[in-house]
Coordinates of all heavy atoms in Angstrom, one line a residue:
M18 N -24.7 8.9 9.5 CA -24.0 8.2 8.4 C -24.8 6.9 8.1 O -25.1 6.2 9.0 CB -22.6 7.9 8.8 CG -21.7 7.6 7.7 SD -20.0 7.2 8.4 CE -19.2 8.8 8.3
S19 N -25.0 6.6 6.8 CA -25.8 5.4 6.5 C -24.9 4.2 6.5 O -23.7 4.3 6.6 CB -26.4 5.5 5.1 OG -25.4 5.4 4.1
D20 N -25.5 3.0 6.5 CA -24.8 1.8 6.5 C -23.8 1.7 5.3 O -22.7 1.2 5.4 CB -25.7 0.5 6.5 CG -26.4 0.3 7.8 OD1 -25.9 0.9 8.8 OD2 -27.3 -0.5 7.9
D21 N -24.3 2.1 4.1 CA -23.4 2.1 3.0 C -22.2 3.0 3.1 O -21.1 2.7 2.6 CB -24.3 2.5 1.7 CG -25.2 1.4 1.3 OD1 -24.9 0.2 1.7 OD2 -26.1 1.7 0.4
E22 N -22.4 4.1 3.8 CA -21.2 5.0 4.0 C -20.2 4.5 4.9 O -19.0 4.8 4.9 CB -21.7 6.4 4.4 CG -22.5 7.2 3.4 CD -23.2 8.4 4.0 OE1 -23.6 8.4 5.1 OE2 -23.2 9.4 3.2
M23 N -20.6 3.7 5.9 CA -19.7 3.1 6.8 C -19.0 1.9 6.3 O -18.0 1.4 6.9 CB -20.5 2.7 8.1 CG -21.1 3.9 8.8 SD -22.1 3.4 10.2 CE -20.9 2.5 11.2
M24 N -19.4 1.4 5.2 CA -18.8 0.1 4.6 C -17.6 0.4 3.7 O -17.7 1.5 3.0 CB -19.9 -0.7 3.9 CG -21.0 -1.1 4.7 SD -22.2 -2.1 3.7 CE -21.3 -3.7 3.6
A25 N -16.7 -0.4 3.7 CA -15.6 -0.3 2.7 C -16.0 -1.0 1.5 O -16.6 -2.1 1.5 CB -14.3 -1.0 3.3
T26 N -15.8 -0.4 0.4 CA -16.1 -1.0 -1.0 C -14.9 -1.6 -1.5 O -13.9 -0.9 -1.7 CB -16.8 0.0 -1.9 OG1 -18.0 0.6 -1.3 CG2 -17.0 -0.6 -3.3
V27 N -15.0 -2.9 -1.9 CA -13.8 -3.6 -2.5 C -14.3 -4.1 -3.8 O -15.2 -4.9 -3.9 CB -13.4 -4.8 -1.6 CG1 -12.3 -5.5 -2.3 CG2 -12.9 -4.3 -0.2
R28 N -13.6 -3.7 -4.9 CA -13.9 -4.2 -6.2 C -13.0 -5.5 -6.4 O -11.8 -5.4 -6.6 CB -13.6 -3.2 -7.3 CG -14.5 -1.9 -7.2 CD -14.1 -0.8 -8.1 NE -12.7 -0.5 -8.0 CZ -12.1 0.5 -7.4 NH1 -12.9 1.3 -6.8 NH2 -10.8 0.6 -7.4
I29 N -13.7 -6.6 -6.2 CA -12.9 -7.9 -6.1 C -12.1 -8.2 -7.3 O -11.1 -9.0 -7.3 CB -13.7 -9.1 -5.6 CG1 -14.8 -9.4 -6.6 CG2 -14.2 -8.8 -4.3 CD1 -15.6 -10.6 -6.2
E30 N -12.4 -7.7 -8.5 CA -11.6 -8.0 -9.7 C -10.7 -6.8 -10.1 O -10.0 -6.8 -11.2 CB -12.5 -8.3 -10.9 CG -13.2 -9.6 -10.6 CD -14.1 -10.1 -11.7 OE1 -13.8 -9.7 -12.9 OE2 -14.9 -10.9 -11.5
D31 N -10.6 -5.8 -9.2 CA -9.7 -4.6 -9.4 C -8.3 -4.9 -8.8 O -8.2 -5.1 -7.7 CB -10.4 -3.4 -8.8 CG -9.5 -2.1 -9.1 OD1 -9.7 -1.6 -10.2 OD2 -8.8 -1.8 -8.2
R32 N -7.3 -4.7 -9.6 CA -5.9 -5.0 -9.2 C -5.5 -4.0 -8.0 O -4.9 -4.5 -7.1 CB -5.0 -4.8 -10.4 CG -3.6 -5.2 -10.0 CD -2.7 -5.1 -11.2 NE -1.7 -6.0 -11.2 CZ -1.2 -6.8 -12.1 NH1 -1.7 -6.6 -13.3 NH2 -0.3 -7.6 -12.0
T33 N -5.9 -2.8 -8.1 CA -5.5 -1.9 -7.0 C -6.2 -2.3 -5.7 O -5.5 -2.2 -4.6 CB -6.0 -0.5 -7.4 OG1 -5.3 -0.1 -8.6 CG2 -5.6 0.6 -6.3
D34 N -7.4 -2.6 -5.7 CA -8.1 -3.1 -4.5 C -7.5 -4.4 -4.0 O -7.4 -4.6 -2.7 CB -9.6 -3.3 -4.7 CG -10.3 -1.9 -4.7 OD1 -9.7 -0.9 -4.5 OD2 -11.6 -2.0 -4.8
R35 N -7.0 -5.3 -4.8 CA -6.4 -6.5 -4.4 C -5.1 -6.2 -3.7 O -4.7 -7.0 -2.8 CB -6.2 -7.5 -5.6 CG -7.5 -8.2 -6.0 CD -8.0 -9.0 -4.9 NE -9.1 -9.8 -5.3 CZ -9.4 -10.9 -4.9 NH1 -8.7 -11.6 -4.1 NH2 -10.5 -11.6 -5.4
W36 N -4.4 -5.2 -4.1 CA -3.2 -4.8 -3.4 C -3.5 -4.1 -2.0 O -2.7 -4.3 -1.1 CB -2.3 -3.8 -4.2 CG -1.5 -4.6 -5.2 CD1 -1.9 -5.0 -6.5 CD2 -0.3 -5.2 -5.0 NE1 -0.9 -5.7 -7.1 CE2 0.1 -5.9 -6.2 CE3 0.6 -5.2 -3.9 CZ2 1.3 -6.5 -6.3 CZ3 1.9 -5.9 -4.1 CH2 2.2 -6.5 -5.2
R37 N -4.5 -3.4 -2.0 CA -4.9 -2.7 -0.8 C -5.5 -3.6 0.3 O -5.2 -3.4 1.5 CB -5.9 -1.5 -1.1 CG -6.3 -0.8 0.1 CD -7.3 0.3 -0.2 NE -7.8 0.8 1.0 CZ -8.8 1.7 1.1 NH1 -9.3 2.2 0.0 NH2 -9.3 2.1 2.2
F38 N -6.4 -4.4 -0.1 CA -7.1 -5.3 0.9 C -6.6 -6.7 0.9 O -6.5 -7.4 -0.2 CB -8.6 -5.3 0.6 CG -9.2 -4.0 0.7 CD1 -9.5 -3.2 -0.4 CD2 -9.6 -3.5 2.0 CE1 -10.0 -1.9 -0.3 CE2 -10.2 -2.2 2.1 CZ -10.4 -1.5 1.0
T39 N -6.2 -7.2 2.0 CA -5.5 -8.6 2.1 C -6.2 -9.4 3.2 O -7.0 -8.9 4.0 CB -4.0 -8.4 2.4 OG1 -3.9 -7.9 3.7 CG2 -3.3 -7.5 1.4
C40 N -5.8 -10.7 3.2 CA -6.2 -11.5 4.3 C -5.5 -11.0 5.6 O -4.5 -10.1 5.4 CB -5.9 -13.0 4.1 SG -4.2 -13.5 4.5
P41 N -5.9 -11.4 6.8 CA -5.2 -10.8 8.0 C -3.7 -11.1 8.0 O -2.9 -10.4 8.7 CB -5.9 -11.6 9.1 CG -7.2 -11.9 8.6 CD -7.0 -12.1 7.2
N42 N -3.2 -12.1 7.3 CA -1.8 -12.5 7.2 C -1.0 -11.7 6.1 O 0.1 -12.0 5.8 CB -1.6 -13.9 7.0 CG -2.0 -14.7 8.3 OD1 -1.8 -14.3 9.4 ND2 -2.8 -15.8 8.1
G43 N -1.7 -10.8 5.3 CA -1.1 -10.0 4.3 C -1.1 -10.6 2.9 O -0.5 -10.1 2.0
H44 N -1.8 -11.7 2.7 CA -1.9 -12.3 1.4 C -2.9 -11.7 0.5 O -4.0 -11.4 1.0 CB -2.2 -13.8 1.5 CG -1.2 -14.6 2.4 ND1 -1.6 -15.4 3.4 CD2 0.2 -14.5 2.5 CE1 -0.5 -15.9 4.0 NE2 0.5 -15.4 3.4
R45 N -2.7 -11.7 -0.8 CA -3.7 -11.2 -1.7 C -4.4 -12.3 -2.4 O -5.2 -12.0 -3.3 CB -2.9 -10.3 -2.7 CG -2.4 -9.1 -2.1 CD -1.6 -8.2 -3.1 NE -1.1 -7.1 -2.4 CZ 0.0 -7.0 -1.6 NH1 0.8 -8.1 -1.5 NH2 0.4 -5.9 -1.0
S46 N -4.2 -13.5 -2.0 CA -4.8 -14.7 -2.7 C -6.2 -15.0 -2.0 O -6.5 -16.2 -2.1 CB -3.9 -15.9 -2.6 OG -3.6 -16.2 -1.3
W47 N -6.9 -14.1 -1.5 CA -8.2 -14.4 -0.9 C -9.3 -14.3 -1.9 O -9.2 -13.7 -2.9 CB -8.4 -13.4 0.3 CG -8.5 -11.9 -0.2 CD1 -7.5 -11.1 -0.2 CD2 -9.7 -11.2 -0.6 NE1 -7.9 -9.8 -0.7 CE2 -9.3 -9.9 -0.9 CE3 -11.0 -11.6 -0.7 CZ2 -10.2 -9.0 -1.4 CZ3 -11.9 -10.6 -1.2 CH2 -11.5 -9.4 -1.5
E48 N -10.4 -15.0 -1.5 CA -11.6 -15.0 -2.3 C -12.8 -14.8 -1.4 O -12.8 -15.4 -0.2 CB -11.8 -16.3 -3.1 CG -10.7 -16.4 -4.2 CD -10.8 -15.3 -5.3 OE1 -11.8 -14.8 -5.5 OE2 -9.7 -15.1 -5.8
P49 N -13.8 -14.2 -1.7 CA -15.0 -14.1 -0.9 C -15.8 -15.4 -1.0 O -15.8 -16.1 -2.0 CB -15.8 -12.9 -1.5 CG -15.4 -12.9 -3.0 CD -14.0 -13.4 -3.0
T50 N -16.5 -15.7 0.1 CA -17.5 -16.8 0.1 C -18.7 -16.2 0.7 O -18.8 -15.0 0.9 CB -17.0 -18.0 1.0 OG1 -17.0 -17.6 2.4 CG2 -15.7 -18.5 0.6
N51 N -19.8 -17.0 0.9 CA -21.1 -16.4 1.3 C -21.0 -15.7 2.6 O -21.6 -14.6 2.6 CB -22.1 -17.5 1.4 CG -22.5 -18.1 0.1 OD1 -22.3 -17.4 -0.9 ND2 -23.0 -19.3 0.0
H52 N -20.4 -16.1 3.6 CA -20.4 -15.4 4.9 C -19.0 -15.1 5.4 O -18.9 -14.8 6.6 CB -21.2 -16.2 5.9 CG -22.6 -16.4 5.4 ND1 -23.6 -15.3 5.3 CD2 -23.2 -17.4 4.8 CE1 -24.7 -15.8 4.8 NE2 -24.5 -17.0 4.5
H53 N -18.0 -15.4 4.7 CA -16.6 -15.1 5.1 C -15.7 -15.0 3.9 O -16.1 -14.8 2.8 CB -16.1 -16.3 6.1 CG -16.1 -17.6 5.6 ND1 -17.2 -18.4 5.4 CD2 -15.1 -18.3 5.0 CE1 -16.9 -19.5 4.8 NE2 -15.6 -19.5 4.6
F54 N -14.4 -15.1 4.2 CA -13.4 -15.1 3.1 C -12.5 -16.3 3.2 O -12.5 -17.0 4.2 CB -12.5 -13.9 3.3 CG -13.2 -12.5 3.2 CD1 -13.4 -11.8 4.4 CD2 -13.6 -12.0 2.1 CE1 -14.1 -10.6 4.4 CE2 -14.3 -10.8 2.0 CZ -14.5 -10.1 3.3
W55 N -11.8 -16.6 2.2 CA -10.9 -17.8 2.1 C -9.6 -17.4 1.4 O -9.6 -16.7 0.4 CB -11.6 -18.9 1.4 CG -10.8 -20.2 1.4 CD1 -10.7 -21.1 2.4 CD2 -10.0 -20.6 0.3 NE1 -9.9 -22.1 2.0 CE2 -9.4 -21.9 0.7 CE3 -9.6 -20.1 -0.9 CZ2 -8.5 -22.6 -0.1 CZ3 -8.8 -20.8 -1.7 CH2 -8.2 -22.1 -1.3
C56 N -8.5 -17.8 2.0 CA -7.2 -17.4 1.5 C -6.4 -18.7 1.0 O -6.2 -19.6 1.9 CB -6.3 -16.6 2.5 SG -4.7 -16.3 1.9
A57 N -6.1 -18.8 -0.3 CA -5.4 -20.0 -0.8 C -4.0 -20.1 -0.1 O -3.6 -21.3 0.2 CB -5.2 -19.8 -2.3
K58 N -3.2 -19.1 0.1 CA -1.9 -19.2 0.7 C -2.0 -19.7 2.1 O -1.1 -20.4 2.5 CB -1.2 -17.9 0.6 CG -0.4 -17.7 -0.7 CD 0.6 -16.5 -0.5 CE 1.6 -16.5 -1.7 NZ 2.5 -15.5 -1.6
C59 N -2.9 -19.1 2.9 CA -3.1 -19.6 4.2 C -3.5 -21.1 4.3 O -3.0 -21.8 5.1 CB -4.2 -18.8 5.0 SG -3.6 -17.1 5.4
A60 N -4.4 -21.5 3.4 CA -4.9 -22.8 3.4 C -3.8 -23.8 3.0 O -3.9 -25.0 3.4 CB -6.0 -23.0 2.4
R61 N -2.7 -23.4 2.3 CA -1.6 -24.3 2.0 C -0.7 -24.6 3.1 O 0.1 -25.5 3.0 CB -0.8 -23.8 0.7 CG -1.6 -23.9 -0.6 CD -0.7 -23.7 -1.7 NE -0.3 -22.3 -1.9 CZ -1.0 -21.4 -2.7 NH1 -1.9 -21.9 -3.4 NH2 -0.5 -20.2 -2.8
Q62 N -0.8 -23.8 4.2 CA 0.1 -24.0 5.4 C -0.5 -25.1 6.3 O -1.7 -25.2 6.4 CB 0.2 -22.7 6.1 CG 0.8 -21.6 5.4 CD 0.9 -20.3 6.1 OE1 0.9 -20.3 7.3 NE2 0.7 -19.2 5.4
D63 N 0.4 -26.0 6.8 CA 0.0 -27.0 7.7 C -0.7 -26.5 8.9 O -0.1 -25.5 9.6 CB 1.2 -27.9 8.1 CG 1.6 -28.8 7.0 OD1 0.8 -29.1 6.1 OD2 2.8 -29.2 7.0
G64 N -1.8 -27.0 9.3 CA -2.5 -26.6 10.5 C -3.2 -25.2 10.5 O -3.6 -24.7 11.5
V65 N -3.3 -24.6 9.3 CA -3.9 -23.3 9.2 C -5.2 -23.4 8.3 O -5.2 -24.0 7.3 CB -3.0 -22.3 8.5 CG1 -3.6 -20.9 8.4 CG2 -1.7 -22.1 9.4
D66 N -6.2 -22.9 8.8 CA -7.5 -22.9 8.1 C -7.5 -21.7 7.2 O -7.1 -20.6 7.6 CB -8.7 -22.8 9.1 CG -10.0 -22.9 8.4 OD1 -10.1 -23.0 7.2 OD2 -11.1 -22.8 9.1
G67 N -7.9 -21.8 6.0 CA -7.8 -20.7 5.0 C -9.0 -19.8 5.2 O -9.0 -18.7 4.6
A68 N -10.0 -20.1 6.0 CA -11.2 -19.3 6.2 C -10.9 -18.2 7.2 O -10.2 -18.4 8.2 CB -12.4 -20.1 6.7
F69 N -11.4 -17.0 6.9 CA -11.3 -15.8 7.9 C -12.4 -14.9 7.7 O -13.2 -15.0 6.7 CB -9.9 -15.2 7.7 CG -9.7 -14.6 6.3 CD1 -9.9 -13.2 6.1 CD2 -9.3 -15.3 5.3 CE1 -9.8 -12.7 4.8 CE2 -9.0 -14.8 4.0 CZ -9.3 -13.5 3.8
H70 N -12.6 -14.0 8.7 CA -13.8 -13.1 8.7 C -13.5 -11.6 8.5 O -14.4 -10.8 8.6 CB -14.7 -13.4 9.9 CG -15.2 -14.8 9.9 ND1 -16.4 -15.1 9.3 CD2 -14.8 -15.9 10.5 CE1 -16.6 -16.4 9.5 NE2 -15.7 -16.9 10.2
N71 N -12.2 -11.3 8.5 CA -11.8 -9.9 8.4 C -10.8 -9.6 7.3 O -9.8 -10.4 7.2 CB -11.2 -9.4 9.8 CG -12.1 -9.6 10.9 OD1 -13.1 -8.9 11.0 ND2 -11.8 -10.4 11.8
L72 N -11.0 -8.6 6.5 CA -10.0 -8.2 5.5 C -9.2 -7.1 6.2 O -9.7 -6.3 6.9 CB -10.7 -7.6 4.3 CG -11.2 -8.5 3.2 CD1 -11.7 -7.6 2.1 CD2 -10.1 -9.4 2.7
R73 N -7.9 -7.1 5.9 CA -7.0 -6.0 6.4 C -6.9 -4.9 5.3 O -6.6 -5.2 4.1 CB -5.6 -6.6 6.6 CG -4.7 -5.5 7.2 CD -3.4 -6.0 7.7 NE -3.5 -7.1 8.7 CZ -3.8 -6.9 10.0 NH1 -4.0 -5.7 10.5 NH2 -3.8 -7.9 10.8
D74 N -7.1 -3.7 5.7 CA -6.9 -2.6 4.8 C -5.5 -2.1 5.0 O -5.1 -1.5 6.1 CB -7.9 -1.5 5.2 CG -7.9 -0.3 4.3 OD1 -6.9 -0.1 3.6 OD2 -8.8 0.6 4.4
R75 N -4.7 -2.3 4.1 CA -3.2 -2.0 4.2 C -3.0 -0.5 4.3 O -2.0 -0.1 4.7 CB -2.5 -2.6 3.0 CG -2.5 -4.1 3.1 CD -1.7 -4.7 1.9 NE -0.5 -4.0 1.5 CZ 0.7 -4.4 1.9 NH1 0.9 -5.5 2.6 NH2 1.8 -3.7 1.5
R76 N -4.0 0.3 3.9 CA -3.8 1.8 4.0 C -3.6 2.2 5.5 O -2.8 3.0 5.8 CB -5.0 2.5 3.5 CG -4.8 4.0 3.5 CD -5.9 4.9 2.9 NE -6.8 4.2 2.1 CZ -8.0 4.7 1.8 NH1 -8.4 5.9 2.2 NH2 -8.8 4.1 0.9
D77 N -4.4 1.6 6.4 CA -4.3 2.0 7.8 C -4.2 0.8 8.8 O -4.1 0.9 10.0 CB -5.6 2.8 8.3 CG -6.9 2.1 8.0 OD1 -6.8 0.8 7.8 OD2 -7.9 2.7 8.1
G78 N -4.1 -0.4 8.2 CA -3.9 -1.6 9.0 C -5.1 -2.1 9.7 O -5.1 -3.1 10.4
E79 N -6.2 -1.5 9.5 CA -7.5 -1.9 10.1 C -8.0 -3.2 9.6 O -7.9 -3.5 8.4 CB -8.6 -0.8 9.9 CG -9.9 -1.0 10.7 CD -10.8 0.1 10.5 OE1 -10.5 1.1 9.8 OE2 -11.9 0.0 11.0
L80 N -8.6 -4.0 10.5 CA -9.3 -5.2 10.1 C -10.7 -4.9 10.0 O -11.4 -4.4 10.9 CB -9.1 -6.3 11.2 CG -7.7 -6.9 11.2 CD1 -7.6 -7.9 12.4 CD2 -7.4 -7.7 9.9
L81 N -11.3 -5.2 8.8 CA -12.7 -4.9 8.5 C -13.5 -6.2 8.5 O -13.2 -7.1 7.7 CB -12.7 -4.3 7.1 CG -11.9 -3.0 6.9 CD1 -11.9 -2.7 5.4 CD2 -12.5 -1.9 7.7
P82 N -14.5 -6.3 9.5 CA -15.3 -7.5 9.5 C -16.1 -7.7 8.1 O -16.4 -6.7 7.5 CB -16.3 -7.2 10.6 CG -15.7 -6.1 11.4 CD -14.8 -5.3 10.5
R83 N -16.4 -8.9 7.8 CA -17.1 -9.2 6.5 C -18.4 -8.4 6.4 O -18.6 -7.9 5.3 CB -17.4 -10.7 6.5 CG -18.2 -11.2 5.4 CD -17.5 -11.1 4.1 NE -18.1 -11.8 3.0 CZ -19.0 -11.2 2.2 NH1 -19.4 -10.0 2.4 NH2 -19.6 -12.0 1.3
K84 N -19.1 -8.1 7.5 CA -20.3 -7.4 7.4 C -20.1 -5.9 7.1 O -21.1 -5.3 6.7 CB -21.2 -7.6 8.6 CG -20.5 -7.0 9.9 CD -21.4 -7.3 11.1 CE -20.7 -6.7 12.3 NZ -21.3 -7.0 13.5
E85 N -18.9 -5.5 7.2 CA -18.6 -4.0 6.9 C -17.9 -3.9 5.6 O -17.4 -2.8 5.3 CB -17.7 -3.4 8.0 CG -18.5 -3.3 9.3 CD -17.6 -2.7 10.4 OE1 -16.5 -2.2 10.1 OE2 -18.0 -2.9 11.6
V86 N -17.9 -4.9 4.7 CA -17.2 -4.8 3.4 C -18.3 -5.1 2.3 O -19.0 -6.0 2.4 CB -16.1 -5.9 3.4 CG1 -15.5 -6.0 1.9 CG2 -15.1 -5.7 4.4
R87 N -18.4 -4.1 1.4 CA -19.2 -4.3 0.3 C -18.4 -4.7 -0.9 O -17.5 -4.0 -1.3 CB -19.9 -2.9 -0.1 CG -20.9 -3.1 -1.2 CD -21.7 -1.8 -1.3 NE -22.8 -2.0 -2.2 CZ -22.9 -1.3 -3.4 NH1 -22.1 -0.3 -3.7 NH2 -23.9 -1.6 -4.2
L88 N -18.6 -5.9 -1.4 CA -17.9 -6.5 -2.5 C -18.6 -6.2 -3.8 O -19.8 -6.5 -4.0 CB -17.7 -8.0 -2.3 CG -17.0 -8.4 -1.0 CD1 -17.1 -9.9 -0.8 CD2 -15.5 -8.0 -1.1
L89 N -17.8 -5.7 -4.8 CA -18.4 -5.5 -6.1 C -17.7 -6.3 -7.2 O -16.5 -6.5 -7.1 CB -18.3 -4.0 -6.4 CG -19.1 -3.0 -5.6 CD1 -18.8 -1.6 -6.0 CD2 -20.6 -3.3 -5.7
T90 N -18.5 -6.8 -8.1 CA -18.0 -7.4 -9.3 C -18.4 -6.6 -10.5 O -19.2 -5.6 -10.4 CB -18.6 -8.8 -9.4 OG1 -20.0 -8.7 -9.8 CG2 -18.4 -9.7 -8.2
P91 N -17.9 -6.8 -11.7 CA -18.3 -6.1 -12.8 C -19.8 -6.1 -13.1 O -20.3 -5.2 -13.7 CB -17.5 -6.7 -14.0 CG -16.3 -7.3 -13.3 CD -16.8 -7.8 -12.0
V92 N -20.5 -7.1 -12.6 CA -21.9 -7.2 -12.9 C -22.8 -6.7 -11.8 O -23.9 -6.8 -11.8 CB -22.3 -8.6 -13.3 CG1 -21.7 -9.0 -14.7 CG2 -22.0 -9.6 -12.2
G93 N -22.1 -6.3 -10.7 CA -22.9 -5.7 -9.6 C -22.3 -6.3 -8.2 O -21.3 -6.9 -8.1
P94 N -23.1 -6.1 -7.2 CA -22.7 -6.5 -5.8 C -22.6 -8.0 -5.6 O -23.3 -8.7 -6.3 CB -23.8 -6.0 -4.9 CG -24.7 -5.1 -5.7 CD -24.4 -5.4 -7.2
Y95 N -21.6 -8.3 -4.8 CA -21.5 -9.8 -4.5 C -22.5 -10.1 -3.4 O -23.3 -9.3 -3.0 CB -20.1 -10.0 -4.0 CG -19.6 -11.5 -3.9 CD1 -19.3 -12.2 -5.0 CD2 -19.5 -12.1 -2.6 CE1 -19.0 -13.5 -4.9 CE2 -19.2 -13.4 -2.6 CZ -18.9 -14.1 -3.7 OH -18.5 -15.4 -3.6
D96 N -22.5 -11.3 -2.9 CA -23.6 -11.8 -2.0 C -23.8 -11.1 -0.7 O -24.9 -11.2 -0.2 CB -23.3 -13.3 -1.6 CG -22.0 -13.4 -0.8 OD1 -21.2 -12.4 -0.7 OD2 -21.8 -14.5 -0.2
C97 N -22.9 -10.4 -0.1 CA -23.1 -9.8 1.1 C -24.4 -8.8 1.1 O -25.2 -8.9 2.0 CB -21.9 -8.9 1.5 SG -21.9 -8.4 3.3
D98 N -24.5 -8.1 0.0 CA -25.7 -7.3 -0.1 C -27.0 -8.1 -0.1 O -28.0 -7.8 0.4 CB -25.7 -6.4 -1.4 CG -24.6 -5.3 -1.2 OD1 -24.2 -5.0 -0.1 OD2 -24.4 -4.6 -2.2
L99 N -26.9 -9.3 -0.8 CA -28.0 -10.2 -0.9 C -28.4 -10.8 0.5 O -29.5 -11.0 0.8 CB -27.8 -11.2 -1.9 CG -27.5 -10.8 -3.3 CD1 -27.1 -11.9 -4.3 CD2 -28.7 -10.1 -3.9
D100 N -27.3 -11.1 1.3 CA -27.6 -11.6 2.6 C -28.4 -10.7 3.5 O -29.3 -11.2 4.2 CB -26.2 -11.8 3.4 CG -25.4 -12.9 2.8 OD1 -25.9 -13.7 2.0 OD2 -24.2 -12.9 3.1
R101 N -28.2 -9.4 3.3 CA -29.0 -8.4 4.2 C -30.5 -8.3 3.8 O -31.3 -7.9 4.6 CB -28.3 -7.1 4.1 CG -27.2 -6.9 5.0 CD -26.8 -5.4 5.2 NE -25.8 -5.0 4.1 CZ -24.6 -5.4 4.2 NH1 -24.2 -6.3 5.1 NH2 -23.8 -5.0 3.3
R102 N -30.8 -8.8 2.6 CA -32.2 -8.7 2.2 C -33.0 -9.8 2.8 O -34.3 -9.7 2.7 CB -32.3 -8.8 0.6 CG -31.6 -7.6 0.0 CD -31.8 -7.7 -1.5 NE -30.9 -6.7 -2.1 CZ -30.5 -6.7 -3.3 NH1 -30.9 -7.8 -4.1 NH2 -29.7 -5.8 -3.9
G103 N -32.4 -10.8 3.4 CA -33.2 -11.8 4.0 C -33.6 -13.0 3.0 O -33.2 -12.9 1.8
S104 N -34.2 -14.0 3.5 CA -34.5 -15.1 2.6 C -35.9 -15.0 2.1 O -36.8 -14.3 2.7 CB -34.2 -16.5 3.3 OG -35.0 -16.5 4.5
A105 N -36.2 -15.8 1.1 CA -37.6 -15.7 0.5 C -38.6 -16.4 1.4 O -38.4 -17.2 2.2 CB -37.5 -16.4 -0.9

């Protein structure tokens, strides 16, 4: 199995994927960043950091590490694919 086949693909602007994939606390208000994710609802809570490294797949409850998630936008892949290519 290739690396791409082992990765979960999340279309970050797709409503269905936003319902399926959540922050570890079950919120859908997460956004990707360069090397992790950030959740607005978590960040609004006292003493809670909004940053996290695993998305929850609500289909099976599994936590998916950032490196196993392929994020897609309407114009193509998000930064995770670019991270794997290395720096110039």
